[in-house]
Amino acid sequence: MKSASAMIDITPPIGISICGNVRDDDLARGTHDPLLCNAVLMESEETSVLFLVLDWVGVDEAEATILRKRAGAVVGILKKNVVVSATHTHSGPKIITRSGFDYRNDEEEKYLNKAFDDIVEGVKSLPGELEEVSLWGAVSDIEGHNFCRRLRMADGKVVMNWIEVDPTDVVCATGDPDKQMSVVGMKRADNTWQTLMVNFTLHAAICVGRDW
């Protein structure tokens, strides 16, 4: 099989609304780390697949469909073979219109359109960069990094773990977290790694409340 990958900068401008921030205001004050769209194009004899993973809290279905169509067109694959997902970072822009957000303002729309343009431009070269690789995979349980945030109380109610409660009234968490980390790697003929793809269930609500 063959694969190629790219990291595309989709960092929004300072002052854009942050999705899920805990400060009194919800505006970005600076950049701690760039936000990226990580793109991986994989090709076998049977088919090709393009993965696009964005450092956003989420992607609405309508926007994901647009991105899949545009990105698929420039790399020469079907829209259905473009997989769009998000890291669910809460230190990124508010571009989704669900979960209580009814609309995007003009600045957010402008950023979203530019990000899509940059992503499409960034994946355009991937077909010409495909390399022969071997496919590797591994799984492992990771302890101590994720947990269930929903608590079952003695009165039968379920509350989120940021709610101040009497610890003696907590019966248990409502479930166990998925501790499995899955890794897929593409290795070149010279035994060097070209691409690593990692999946781990974790709510990335980090860096909020500070100066970014």
Side-chain angles (χ1 to χ4, degrees):
M1 67 171 295
K2 298 180 180 180
S3 72
S5 59
M7 293 190 299
I8 303 154
D9 194 321
I10 54 171
T11 305
I14 305 304
I16 201 169
S17 296
I18 298 174
C19 190
N21 194 18
V22 296
R23 291 195 302 253
D24 291 338
D25 67 82
D26 67 345
L27 304 179
R29 300 174 182 171
T31 302
H32 184 274
D33 294 293
L35 301 186
L36 302 173
C37 170
N38 288 293
V40 180
L41 178 62
M42 303 175 70
E43 180 183 90
S44 69
E45 292 181 0
E46 294 81 19
T47 190
S48 297
V49 178
L50 175 64
F51 293 92
L52 299 174
V53 184
L54 298 90
D55 282 332
W56 288 346
V57 74
V59 187
D60 287 329
E61 182 178 358
E63 280 66 41
T65 300
I66 293 170
L67 182 56
R68 290 167 59 215
K69 182 177 181 179
R70 291 185 60 189
V74 297
V75 299
I77 66 174
L78 298 174
K79 179 183 70 174
K80 68 178 183 179
N81 289 355
V82 180
V83 181
V84 176
S85 62
T87 58
H88 196 69
T89 177
H90 278 271
S91 298
K94 181 183 77 62
I95 51 87
I96 57 174
T97 56
R98 60 183 185 275
S99 302
F101 302 111
D102 296 328
Y103 66 94
R104 285 185 292 268
N105 62 34
D106 290 344
E107 183 181 16
E108 292 157 359
E109 285 287 353
K110 181 179 178 181
Y111 161 72
L112 181 65
N113 292 331
K114 182 180 184 305
F116 279 10
D117 288 345
D118 290 343
I119 292 168
V120 171
E121 185 64 30
V123 302
K124 194 180 294 185
S125 62
L126 290 181
E129 298 170 1
L130 287 166
E131 299 178 280
E132 291 283 352
V133 295
S134 56
L135 188 65
W136 296 68
V139 295
S140 181
D141 284 348
I142 307 298
E143 300 289 343
H145 287 279
N146 60 356
F147 52 86
C148 179
R149 301 188 303 162
R150 291 170 174 80
L151 307 177
R152 190 174 304 282
M153 309 302 292
D155 61 4
K157 293 180 179 178
V158 174
V159 301
M160 302 303 292
N161 67 343
W162 60 76
I163 303 298
E164 187 174 347
V165 297
D166 184 342
T168 62
D169 288 337
V170 178
V171 176
C172 61
T174 59
D176 295 320
D178 180 1
K179 299 178 181 180
Q180 181 174 285
M181 177 179 286
S182 304
V183 181
V184 174
M186 279 70 86
K187 187 179 283 189
R188 302 181 181 92
D190 63 4
N191 219 36
T192 60
W193 291 107
Q194 181 213 61
T195 304
L196 289 174
M197 301 172 68
V198 179
N199 184 69
F200 183 59
T201 302
L202 185 68
H203 194 163
I206 56 175
C207 294
V208 292
R210 299 181 183 272
D211 291 332
W212 38 79

